[in-house]
Amino acid sequence: MSCSVNIKNLSTSRDGVRLYENVTLDVSHKEKIAIIGPNGCGKTTLLEIIAGLRPLEEGTLELFHQPMNSLDEFKSMRHLIGYLFQDSDNQFLAPVVEDDVAFSLLASGISKEEAKLKTAMMLQDLGISHLAKKIVYHLSGGEKKLVALAGVLIMEPKLMLLDEPTNGLDQAMQLRLIDILGRIDKSIIIVSHHKEFIELVVEKIYEITPTGLSCSVNLKNESNHHHDHGDHPHSH
Ligand SMILES: Nc1ncnc2c1ncn2[C@@H]1O[C@H](COP(=O)(O)OP(=O)(O)OP(=O)(O)O)[C@@H](O)[C@H]1O
């Protein structure tokens, strides 16, 4: 199986308190999954570990079949990973919306003209062209989320880590996001408390427990889903 993320026996603590142990997770190429669990159980922490923003304490992590043993090894993977932070204010790289969305594209070396065109298309796709000249810090919470999302999507990452992507979005925008994520042919890990949303977007939902992840739902492929007792095709 071609895997974007492969985690084995990961254990994590924060401030000396064990959040979970023995987390094992495979996210295959183009698979969309969600991670749920109560406040403070460590969902964001897990995304940070996958993104290389937090060191791995115990266990192993491979991204695209490459072992990630140190934060340095994540550097070669950064361009493949798009991370939407829970707090959009942590995401912005430039004060004006269109400059912020184009920032990483320009940093990757594409021409100003191409970056401008791609940015305009991205803003249009998300229905936020009217925000192009606005100051990011003057936007509403939902508008900030959409601009941050535009900055992630425009890089066409192979793995997207989305932390509470629907926070602050009204119903019309949630539906637009469901449509956009449905069209994306990439691996996506969504952390969310928004059950109705994730059920429409992902194939599997994993719940974090102190003793690992349990796959609570497999919505799109009922006959081939994961159980703690092993992975094999079967039906109930
Ligand atoms: N920078 C930090 N320093 C110390 N402890 C932290 C830090 N950030 C988070 N924590 C703690 O780590 C634990 C896990 O936090 P995390 O943000 O991963 O949880 P979460 O499952 O994403 O929660 P939520 O659903 O509320 O977003 C919490 O107890 C939190 O207080």
Side-chain angles (χ1 to χ4, degrees):
M1 180 175 62
S2 178
C3 266
S4 302
V5 180
N6 181 271
I7 293 172
K8 282 199 178 69
N9 300 323
L10 178 131
S11 300
T12 300
S13 305
R14 276 204 111 146
D15 287 342
V17 177
R18 179 55 62 100
L19 293 175
Y20 38 74
E21 48 197 11
N22 290 324
V23 164
T24 290
L25 174 69
D26 287 330
V27 182
S28 54
H29 193 44
K30 301 184 180 178
E31 187 178 28
K32 295 168 190 168
I33 69 143
I35 296 175
I36 60 170
N39 291 130
C41 73
K43 302 178 296 297
T44 297
T45 302
L46 184 58
L47 288 190
E48 289 171 350
I49 291 170
I50 295 170
L53 303 176
R54 171 164 295 283
L56 197 65
E57 283 168 34
E58 285 173 48
T60 61
L61 165 63
E62 290 181 1
L63 293 179
F64 305 102
H65 302 279
Q66 301 291 315
M68 298 290 113
N69 296 316
S70 69
L71 292 183
D72 264 358
E73 282 169 312
F74 283 94
K75 282 186 186 157
S76 61
M77 292 291 162
R78 285 265 149 79
H79 65 292
L80 301 177
I81 302 175
Y83 192 156
L84 183 77
F85 293 118
Q86 188 168 7
D87 181 352
S88 305
D89 285 338
N90 293 336
Q91 191 102 32
F92 299 127
L93 300 162
V96 176
V97 167
E98 61 185 0
D99 297 338
D100 179 76
V101 174
F103 191 93
S104 299
L105 271 185
L106 288 167
S108 75
I110 79 164
S111 71
K112 272 189 183 170
E113 292 69 32
E114 202 183 341
K116 203 171 173 187
L117 192 66
K118 280 194 161 191
T119 299
M121 283 166 60
M122 190 75 245
L123 295 179
Q124 192 174 15
D125 203 19
L126 284 171
I128 52 170
S129 301
H130 59 290
L131 302 178
K133 307 282 182 202
K134 294 219 174 188
I135 304 294
V136 286
Y137 296 105
H138 295 169
L139 301 176
S140 74
E143 289 170 340
K144 283 181 182 174
K145 201 70 165 178
L146 292 167
V147 171
L149 185 66
V152 171
L153 291 174
I154 205 165
M155 295 304 290
E156 299 180 21
K158 278 184 146 181
L159 170 64
M160 291 178 51
L161 308 174
L162 308 179
D163 200 345
E164 299 291 356
T166 57
N167 267 11
L169 299 190
D170 62 33
Q171 194 151 19
M173 284 318 309
Q174 288 173 22
L175 290 174
R176 195 185 282 255
L177 184 58
I178 289 165
D179 176 54
I180 288 167
L181 295 180
R183 283 189 269 131
I184 290 175
D185 219 9
K186 307 280 160 80
S187 301
I188 302 181
I189 302 179
I190 299 175
V191 160
S192 178
H193 292 285
H194 192 163
K195 200 160 178 283
E196 296 80 15
F197 167 76
I198 56 178
E199 282 181 356
L200 289 168
V201 175
V202 306
E203 288 131 46
K204 293 180 187 169
I205 300 176
Y206 292 88
E207 182 160 13
I208 292 193
T209 74
T211 53
L213 289 184
S214 69
C215 186
S216 56
V217 188
N218 182 334
L219 300 154
K220 293 193 177 163
N221 191 358
E222 278 292 326
S223 64
N224 186 13
H225 60 262
H226 172 84
H227 280 277
D228 285 344
H229 61 255
D231 254 335
H232 53 272
H234 62 281
S235 54
H236 292 275

